[in-house]
Amino acid sequence: MAGRNGRTVRDLRRANRTAVLQRLYFDGPLSRFELGPATGLSSGSVSNVVADLVADGLVEEAGSVDSDGGRPRTLLRVAPLSGHMIGVDVGETRVRVELFDLTLTELARAQRPLEQQRYEVEVIVDHIRSGIAEVLAGAGLAPERLLGVGIGVPGIVEHTPDRGAVVHGQTIGWDAVPLETLLRAGSPLPDTVPYFIDNGAKTLGQAEMWFGAGRGARNALVVLFGSGVGACLVTPEVEHGRAVEWGHLTVRVRGRRCRCGALGCLEAYAGAESLLARWREEGGRVPGGTDEETALTAMLAAAYPADDSAPDPVALAVLEETAEYLGAGLSDLINLFQPERILMGGWAGLQLGSRFLPAVHRHALSYALRHPAEKVTIELGRLGPDAVTVGAAILPLADFFARGGRRPDPDPQSPPPAWHTALQERTPR
């Protein structure tokens, strides 16, 4: 039965369960008494919802705390083993697959390096499938117990009614790849386990906003700096985050050829792939037969030697120029979106780290308009190399919250809120 606002009793019950679950998840353990003001629900509603969640095995007791002159109050928390998610990062040097419990504690991981074949579609699909099977076997978890699999990929992701998630990855040679359909064919998972596929910069941004350096910010940009560069914008209007193809902003007319095919893209100057190529072109001693991460480590060691030896002037000059290009690119984001925080993540961003960031910050402020530049902070992300997999695992977790802690409903006539609705409603403090 629907009320005046069109919401049914089922909708109200689900919303109440979602409110309690999210408060316990982000702020718990909490007592029933504390849950009332935290959720805006009456004490009776809190008691009923908590009883349902305890009966479903989603909430458990977590000790007690003294009250003012009365009996101790029982503390409640989300039960960690009441749900499991898999996060997948289709990265630039490897495919990383991680299994998490409901509190995003890692239970198992698998990695597949990307070498000569790199982004060949069937290779990537096989890596994801085998990685999922490996982490499930490693943890001894039955596939049907998963809440879902989240996957962060390079490129633009389009969600279609007939083919599911379709990936447009121009820089990696993917032209409308029906990734979800391909994963379903021969999948180690039952059809009841959903896939959630989105842009990798967006999943990185979501992880930092929920659990990392973005907590508490309403306007933020999270930058992924790896072989290429990308960004995720989070504002009150797009709280679930929106991927921004920042790496293909033109920074130099008739400039270097980008791997997307265009001329003068930021990625052609600021991505790790182009950074190493420019070092090589200038006569730098790039280690042969190594992957990008190892080569970048060698470049940093040459530019910033740990001992008293002189730095490699070529490596240092290329890094300093890259810092200016990145700073100029960030200034465009500052002028366009006026964020309060910019966070830098990605494997290359983390490698370059604090040694590189001050120069990027200095250049960003020098190119940006003074008023928005004075209000922004620029810092490194806090979640390390696993941020994309954590963010990918948040996608099924958010869907679980949106359903009030219930698994996907097989009835297509009554679909609950989509996962991005729960991302919008998140309010971690």
Side-chain angles (χ1 to χ4, degrees), residues 87-89 94-99 106 108-113 127-128 130-136 389:
V88 180
D89 174 12
R94 63 178 58 86
V95 173
R96 180 184 282 117
V97 182
E98 297 182 43
L99 173 68
E106 182 188 313
R109 74 162 54 192
Q111 294 194 126
R112 304 287 188 271
H127 283 343
I128 295 173
S130 64
I132 289 172
E134 182 179 330
V135 296
L136 289 173
T389 51

Side-chain angles (χ1 to χ4, degrees), residues 16 20 32-50:
N16 289 349
V20 170
R32 290 172 177 81
F33 178 79
E34 293 170 309
L35 278 169
T39 60
L41 300 176
S42 68
S43 59
S45 293
V46 168
S47 295
N48 290 337
V49 171
V50 167

